[in-house]
Amino acid sequence: MPSSPIVVVGLCSSERRRYAAALATAIGRAVVRVSDPTSGAASGSAPRPTPVRIARTRNEIDGVVLDVDADVDALHLEPCLRRPAPDVICVVDAPHLLDDLRDRSRLVPGAGPGDDRGDVGARARRGASQIETASHVCIVNWERLETARLSVLMSLLAHLAPTARVRLSRGAAEDLDALRGGGRASAGDAADEILERAGWVRALNDEHDPYLTDRRVTTERYERLRPFHPARLVAALDALDAGRAGRVVRSAGFCRIASRARTLARWDQVGPAIWIDPLDADMESSLTAQDLAFTGVDLMPGAVARLFDEALVTDAELAAGPQAWATWADPLPVWAEEDVLDHDPHGRDGDGH
């Protein structure tokens, strides 16, 4: 077993806690729950227990199983910032996965200003992030699904997390063999940093090679040099949400909007919600315009590209140049100046569209 802490995540609290406790028992470690004590107060629910310091040294925290509540972004935990990245086990409740990734719920209802956990769709976004950062995805309650649906689910997980080992769990104790054996697909050997595990990142790096496949599940890369017209982009997003290209479960990457041409933006979509957040205005001279990865079920061949090609600036609009673009009506949410100048590079500070 690795000497670093084992991080256990998952949207279903009961299944995650049960798995973390069983895993800790099987390997003789303590289990420590990691939660945000402010979340209960923000949502109006019962207050959380008073937090206590769980470790004074790195050696102490390395000897535990961390059971991470969904209101905490595991990417911000110190062990997940290490290189090589630690083992992260995402516990997926099979009967609810597709619904979880379409959920419009807020992660923390009543979250304060600037806290994107209060955005519509934030719960689905966290679910996708948990899968994408995992080294192991353990599927529980999979026995309830028919074979065809289970095949789609497993392939979808492999597309979202191609460096992870996707496993039909028969209990934490039996899953230990996967952990002890290295537990990753061949592509995972290169994923020393946790952010390199996500399927969309690997797609943009031409390294996307999921080892579990189903003909209904596909990932497509969309690259274009022209910026998007803001109004036509909104129309394309509405069409995407309406299913005109099939069921897009997840898309992410980078985009440029003509009316904000000096700033490259981070694109982050899960289910019905999308965040288009500014990155760095210093990237004005970058050649990147649109570089996006789309993962979905029953995507129509070429439909995503056709949909968004309609949103690109035309030849005449391109010739008009940035001064003309800046005068266009822009229905997308306004970016605050401080967001453009001092924004989290992982796109976690903006408002959802």
Side-chain angles (χ1 to χ4, degrees):
M1 289 299 298
S3 59
S4 60
I6 298 176
V7 181
V8 180
V9 299
L11 280 184
C12 180
S13 297
S14 60
E15 295 293 348
R16 186 197 69 245
R17 292 173 191 165
R18 186 180 299 115
Y19 191 95
L23 179 64
T25 299
I27 60 179
R29 293 191 181 193
V31 59
V32 175
R33 183 178 169 195
V34 181
S35 62
D36 182 351
T38 67
S39 296
S43 62
S45 61
R48 306 256 183 170
T50 302
V52 296
R53 184 167 182 169
I54 62 172
R56 292 183 176 86
T57 69
R58 176 166 174 165
N59 287 338
E60 288 175 321
I61 201 169
D62 281 352
V64 303
V65 172
L66 297 178
D67 173 14
V68 183
D69 276 358
D71 58 13
V72 175
D73 189 349
L75 287 173
H76 294 163
L77 297 178
E78 184 276 331
C80 293
L81 301 177
R82 300 177 187 175
R83 188 184 181 102
D87 280 304
V88 177
I89 301 175
C90 182
V91 180
V92 171
D93 188 13
H96 300 114
L97 174 64
L98 293 178
D99 287 338
D100 283 342
L101 295 178
R102 292 194 293 257
D103 192 356
R104 297 183 63 86
S105 299
R106 294 170 169 81
L107 189 61
V108 179
D115 187 343
D116 62 9
R117 296 177 302 174
D119 291 349
V120 171
R123 186 174 183 274
R125 186 191 202 189
R126 180 58 49 82
S129 175
Q130 290 175 338
I131 294 167
E132 291 172 341
T133 57
S135 56
H136 300 77
V137 179
C138 293
I139 307 172
V140 299
N141 300 321
W142 55 271
E143 303 92 339
R144 304 177 188 176
L145 301 186
E146 59 185 19
T147 301
R149 185 179 176 193
L150 185 60
S151 174
V152 170
L153 183 150
M154 294 182 70
S155 179
L156 178 61
L157 291 169
H159 275 254
L160 295 176
T163 72
R165 182 178 293 270
V166 179
R167 178 177 175 82
L168 297 176
S169 178
R170 292 173 174 83
E174 292 191 28
D175 293 343
L176 286 178
D177 288 341
L179 287 172
R180 288 172 173 150
R184 296 182 187 173
S186 58
D189 294 337
D192 286 338
E193 292 187 8
I194 201 164
L195 291 173
E196 295 175 356
R197 293 174 174 172
W200 70 269
V201 173
R202 302 194 76 83
L204 299 194
N205 290 334
D206 292 325
E207 298 172 339
H208 191 267
D209 186 22
Y211 66 101
L212 295 173
T213 61
D214 184 285
R215 62 181 180 80
R216 295 182 59 195
V217 181
T218 53
T219 294
E220 303 175 3
R221 186 178 182 183
Y222 178 80
E223 292 182 277
R224 298 292 188 270
L225 292 177
R226 296 189 179 196
F228 285 128
H229 185 289
R232 293 201 296 271
L233 175 58
V234 170
L237 291 172
D238 289 341
L240 189 75
D241 190 43
R244 272 185 47 189
R247 186 195 304 178
V248 175
V249 176
R250 172 74 166 131
S251 64
F254 305 95
C255 69
R256 197 176 295 274
I257 301 167
S259 51
R260 315 173 189 200
R262 63 184 295 266
T263 303
L264 188 68
R266 164 71 192 277
W267 175 296
D268 192 4
Q269 172 263 329
V270 184
I274 185 167
W275 292 258
I276 299 178
D277 295 335
L279 288 175
D280 192 343
D282 291 339
M283 301 182 76
E284 180 178 4
S285 60
S286 169
L287 293 178
T288 300
Q290 323 306 339
D291 197 357
L292 304 165
F294 292 82
T295 295
V297 179
D298 298 328
L299 295 184
M300 304 170 196
V304 169
R306 289 192 296 271
L307 198 63
F308 286 99
D309 281 350
E310 293 174 2
L312 298 172
V313 297
T314 64
D315 290 345
E317 290 167 341
L318 185 66
Q323 287 188 334
W325 304 344
T327 67
W328 292 347
D330 186 337
L332 292 163
V334 175
W335 294 336
E337 183 177 356
E338 58 268 23
D339 288 339
V340 177
L341 298 177
D342 186 22
H343 189 76
D344 183 337
H346 305 314
R348 300 184 183 279
D349 296 332
D351 296 326
H353 165 63

